[in-house]
């Protein structure tokens, strides 16, 4: 039995005709995350460009990995830019590909049995790099200073930084960018002191 393939895109016409019967299409990163948590997909193909409700493929990748969803994720772009692969991988994607039927089919071949295999995907078996630990701490600590929108603020900071630092974001660069969302010098200093213990 063939496993379904999830497409997260504003352009449903991107789905190759041969996959139409097994494709589920949404234009919302939030809905895609819910679908991935509830169902087993062989792969997810997501536009890197902005989606409905301000989501993006980069944000979806980070959210999937944070929730332990290890389904292969391919970020689709109209043109592959220099450094895009590093940005895609840093955000949790398997790879970035061009928005063509050939690239999609090649990506499916690259994951092999993931498309026809069965069973539930397991969590990623790798330790978190220091920056990932700091990012998660920032989400928690920033809530004291910015309220319930803290996680979205962190995602916005990451969306801004990934293109500027395709080989990886330094901890100090990230912390200063997040701290800029905290109002007042004293509060900002307290936030940084708590974050960088």
């Amino acid at each position: 039995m063939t496993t379904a393939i999830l497409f997260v895109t504003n352009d449903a016409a991107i789905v190759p005709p041969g996959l139409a019967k097994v494709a589920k299409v949404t234009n919302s990163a939030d809905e895609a995350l819910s679908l991935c948590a509830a169902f087993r997909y062989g792969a997810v193909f997501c536009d890197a460009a902005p989606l409905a409700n301000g989501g993006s493929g980069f944000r979806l990748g980070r959210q999937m990995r944070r929730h332990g969803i290890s389904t292969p994720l391919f970020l689709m772009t109209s043109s592959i830019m220099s450094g895009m692969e590093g940005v895609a991988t840093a955000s949790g994607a398997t790879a970035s590909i061009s928005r063509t039927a050939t690239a999609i089919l090649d990506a499916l071949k690259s994951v092999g049995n993931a498309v026809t295999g069965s069973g539930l995907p397991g969590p990623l078996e790798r330790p978190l790099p220091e920056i990932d630990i700091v990012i998660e701490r920032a989400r928690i600590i920033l809530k004291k200073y910015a309220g319930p929108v803290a996680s979205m603020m962190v995602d916005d900071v990451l969306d801004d930084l990934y293109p500027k630092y395709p080989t990886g974001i330094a901890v100090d660069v990230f912390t200063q960018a997040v701290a800029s969302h905290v109002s007042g010098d004293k509060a900002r200093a307290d936030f940084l002191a708590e974050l960088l213990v």
Side-chain angles (χ1 to χ4, degrees):
M1 181 172 156
T2 303
T3 302
I5 308 299
L6 179 61
F7 287 86
V8 189
T9 179
N10 291 316
D11 178 16
I14 193 65
V15 177
L19 296 177
K21 290 184 179 180
V22 296
K24 166 73 176 157
V25 180
T26 180
N27 69 347
S28 165
D30 292 336
E31 182 181 4
L33 184 63
S34 296
L35 288 168
C36 287
F39 305 103
R40 165 111 170 93
Y41 289 94
V44 176
F45 292 89
C46 183
D47 284 338
L51 299 162
N53 302 323
S56 72
F58 301 109
R59 183 173 291 173
L60 176 62
R62 290 191 302 275
Q63 290 174 330
M64 284 175 63
R65 300 317 177 218
R66 193 175 327 126
H67 287 89
I69 300 168
S70 61
T71 304
L73 170 67
F74 297 92
L75 296 185
M76 301 183 296
T77 63
S78 296
S79 62
I80 301 293
M81 300 175 291
S82 174
M84 181 64 177
E85 195 65 36
V87 173
T89 304
S91 64
T94 305
S96 63
I97 63 171
S98 63
R99 295 183 87 249
T100 64
T102 301
I104 291 167
L105 295 174
D106 286 346
L108 283 175
K109 288 178 193 170
S110 77
V111 294
N113 292 337
V115 179
T116 57
S118 60
L120 296 174
L124 295 179
E125 298 292 335
R126 62 178 174 81
L128 290 175
E130 180 186 9
I131 185 67
D132 288 348
I133 295 167
V134 173
I135 290 169
E136 294 313 310
R137 282 184 53 78
R139 289 180 196 286
I140 295 164
I141 296 168
L142 190 58
K143 282 183 186 176
K144 290 190 333 190
Y145 299 90
V149 297
S151 191
M152 289 189 322
M153 287 178 161
V154 170
D155 283 336
D156 289 343
V157 165
L158 291 170
D159 285 343
D160 288 342
L161 293 178
Y162 277 130
K164 295 175 187 171
Y165 301 94
T167 58
I169 302 168
V171 170
D172 62 326
V173 170
F174 170 76
T175 56
Q176 292 302 317
V178 172
S180 70
H181 289 280
V182 177
S183 298
D185 292 339
K186 168 106 172 72
R188 190 174 302 115
D190 291 347
F191 168 75
L192 286 170
E194 237 181 301
L195 181 60
L196 298 172
V197 290

